[in-house]
Amino acid sequence: MALTDVQIDEEAIQALALSDEVQDDLELRMDRVVDVAKATAPVLTGAYQASIHRVDAPDVDGSVHVDADVHYAYFVEHGTRQVDRNGHAIHRPHYTLSHALDAAGGDH
């Protein structure tokens, strides 16, 4: 079996990633992630759930992101090491955004 030398056209890939069609599709996918995350987020005060949103502008490479921007979002997502006097975890991880990304994945 002969190996084929493949030349990657980085400019074409970048142009495709930033095209309106691809950006529209990514935004729709991330909107589904937001919907799932908000539906499954733990709610104590509602601030974490309300902070979940699609970031308005894509990165320079065309990536579209979902964020929860309350200052404690990391701890809601990943939990803490705090335990009660019986050794049981107080703030268990929820992985809300991770699970929402998987659940809303659609047809990759």
Side-chain angles (χ1 to χ4, degrees):
M1 179 190 310
L3 294 177
T4 303
D5 185 23
V6 176
Q7 300 296 319
I8 298 174
D9 187 345
E10 294 290 339
E11 284 183 29
I13 292 171
Q14 185 68 15
L16 181 61
L18 295 173
S19 73
D20 290 340
E21 294 84 5
V22 170
Q23 286 301 303
D24 290 346
D25 181 62
L26 289 173
E27 288 175 3
L28 286 172
R29 290 171 185 263
M30 292 305 104
D31 287 343
R32 286 196 308 259
V33 170
V34 168
D35 291 343
V36 171
K38 285 187 174 210
T40 61
V43 178
L44 184 60
T45 66
Y48 172 72
Q49 183 185 43
S51 77
I52 298 170
H53 66 282
R54 176 173 46 88
V55 177
D56 289 334
D59 286 352
V60 295
D61 68 353
S63 299
V64 178
H65 298 275
V66 171
D67 191 18
D69 56 9
V70 292
H71 69 278
Y72 53 86
Y74 179 87
F75 302 109
V76 173
E77 189 74 7
H78 300 288
T80 68
R81 300 177 92 185
Q82 292 178 315
V83 294
D84 63 16
R85 63 179 138 192
N86 297 315
H88 299 109
I90 296 173
H91 303 289
R92 301 176 68 83
H94 289 277
Y95 305 116
T96 303
L97 297 178
S98 302
H99 291 158
L101 188 60
D102 288 342
D107 55 341
H108 300 337

